[in-house]
Amino acid sequence: MWNYHNPVAVHAGVGSLARLPGLLAGRRALLLTFPDAAALGLEQAMSALLGTQLAGIENAVLPNPDVAWLEDMYQRLWQQHADVPCIVALGGGSVIDCAKAMLAPTPTGRFAPLLGHLRDGTAFAPEFSRLKSLIALPTTAGTGSEVTPWATIWDTAAGRKYSLHQPWTWPEAAIIDATLMRDLPVAATLASGLDALSHAFESIWNINRNPVSSTLAVAAARRILATLPQLLRAPYDIALREQMALAALQAGLAFSNTRTALAHSLSYDITLQTGLAHGIACSFSLPHVLRLALGRDAGVDALLLQILDATDGEQAAARLTAFLEALGVPTDPAHYGLAGRWEASLQLALQGPRGRNFIAAGVTPH
């Protein structure tokens, strides 16, 4: 038996941003975004679009939301905008994840109770009547956060990564408008695209997969393999941007039901230790994880071969390796400081919460 569930109302296509005022349905909203949004003209565009519905702008979101600065933002937001019922998150995964951490009020109005929940599982019960709703407007094609309930929160000082996941952290709606992604730099386009590719593969070699998630994942992976190299050569091509936006959405909808698996489990420590972009950290290992996945499940094998137009596992791994390295992403673990401890890193990652979703969890890597 299986089920597929995703409550996010998705509005997609070039020009779909114009639907935002209607989705707010008269509600006032706080815009949460990133520091460069003003220079890119995005803040001005949102102000013009929303008019008096825009209650304010919070534009101090940094990459990889960290508890070191989330606390100040949380207190400021709940002091100044407690009566605003909706947050519009305009940005990449970091902005949308940050917004999810802002949705629920704590009894004290401070971040500490939520941080305690993240760190040690302390019970956290907000006032449900004061919860804010979230509308996500991704400016990257990769994160999937706009259609998932998870927010990755970093605690760099403690060397830890947390996953916030509550019933209220599902976005109410997501608007996927490729025009918001047109000015994304090439490096960020690459990292976000490979993050989406990883989401697709991770939801296939996953013990939680189902027929719907697998269908979405295969479509996403094939679209990314065909589109990403072209987009990197022509980053202002809006048709290619729209194809990548669709692929990232499909991948997000897939892993919204499965969670991620081994490649992501491997990535978190690398990002914490080196600051390597998440999309690179979770994708360079894909050929290695693919080899470990092959032979565990005939249905999974068939899907992986289909994605890569391969006749056997070795050809599939070679084609995936060639794809990544042609984009300038080395697949040798030694490049990422893992020389001599790759097998140990794999074993440790298999034991993590995401690693345990992998179909070969519990086996000895080889």
Side-chain angles (χ1 to χ4, degrees), residues 14-290:
V14 171
S16 56
L17 178 62
R19 296 183 181 178
L20 178 58
L23 292 176
L24 287 172
R27 294 173 294 175
R28 296 171 71 233
L30 173 69
L31 177 65
L32 192 67
T33 190
F34 55 101
D36 289 339
L40 292 170
L42 294 174
E43 288 188 15
Q44 299 90 320
M46 295 296 291
S47 296
L49 178 64
L50 295 180
T52 58
Q53 286 181 284
L54 183 61
I57 299 174
E58 172 66 64
N59 60 8
V61 180
L62 302 175
N64 300 329
D66 196 288
V67 297
W69 55 264
L70 279 173
E71 182 166 8
D72 288 343
M73 181 181 292
Y74 183 94
Q75 185 172 342
R76 183 169 65 248
L77 186 150
W78 278 98
Q79 284 180 346
Q80 299 177 6
H81 303 287
D83 61 340
V84 177
C86 187
I87 293 177
V88 172
L90 173 69
S94 292
V95 172
I96 299 172
D97 285 1
C98 177
K100 292 174 182 177
M102 301 290 132
L103 297 176
T106 64
T108 63
R110 301 184 69 88
F111 191 66
L114 183 55
L115 180 56
H117 168 72
L118 292 170
R119 282 179 169 166
D120 53 34
T122 303
F124 175 65
E127 297 177 52
F128 288 94
S129 63
R130 299 176 62 214
L131 287 171
K132 298 183 186 298
S133 57
L134 171 62
I135 297 178
L137 280 59
T139 59
T140 65
T143 175
S145 188
E146 69 274 8
V147 288
T148 74
W150 304 298
T152 297
I153 306 296
W154 301 86
D155 192 346
T156 304
R160 299 178 65 186
K161 186 276 306 182
Y162 311 117
S163 182
L164 175 63
H165 175 206
Q166 294 290 339
W168 62 80
T169 51
W170 283 101
E172 173 187 301
I175 296 177
I176 316 298
D177 190 333
T179 59
L180 294 174
M181 307 170 189
R182 184 165 42 199
D183 294 320
L184 192 67
V186 170
T189 298
L190 172 63
S192 58
L194 291 181
D195 192 14
L197 182 64
S198 182
H199 292 154
F201 277 109
E202 293 268 83
S203 56
I204 290 174
W205 50 53
N206 198 302
I207 61 173
N208 303 307
R209 70 192 181 280
N210 62 60
V212 173
S213 65
S214 294
T215 299
L216 288 164
V218 169
R222 289 182 63 85
R223 195 179 304 273
I224 293 166
L225 292 172
T227 305
L228 184 56
Q230 298 181 64
L231 179 57
L232 294 173
R233 292 190 294 268
Y236 294 104
D237 188 317
I238 196 64
L240 293 174
R241 286 282 179 194
E242 190 165 26
Q243 286 297 304
M244 276 301 300
L246 173 57
L249 173 64
Q250 290 170 321
L253 291 169
F255 93 95
S256 74
N257 274 238
T258 66
R259 303 187 184 227
T260 51
L262 180 57
H264 275 71
S265 188
L266 279 162
S267 76
Y268 297 128
D269 185 59
I270 296 172
T271 295
L272 273 170
Q273 298 300 322
T274 69
L276 183 67
H278 171 70
I280 306 300
C282 70
S283 61
F284 83 87
S285 66
L286 290 176
H288 305 278
V289 179
L290 183 145

Side-chain angles (χ1 to χ4, degrees), residues 340-357:
R341 58 187 183 95
W342 175 242
E343 300 299 329
S345 296
L346 273 176
Q347 189 59 59
L348 184 63
L350 282 166
Q351 296 168 9
R354 293 296 184 263
R356 291 194 292 271
N357 294 330

Side-chain angles (χ1 to χ4, degrees), residues 310-329:
T311 57
D312 58 54
E314 193 50 45
Q315 185 182 53
R319 288 185 173 178
L320 185 53
T321 298
F323 172 81
L324 291 167
E325 296 194 346
L327 297 181
V329 178

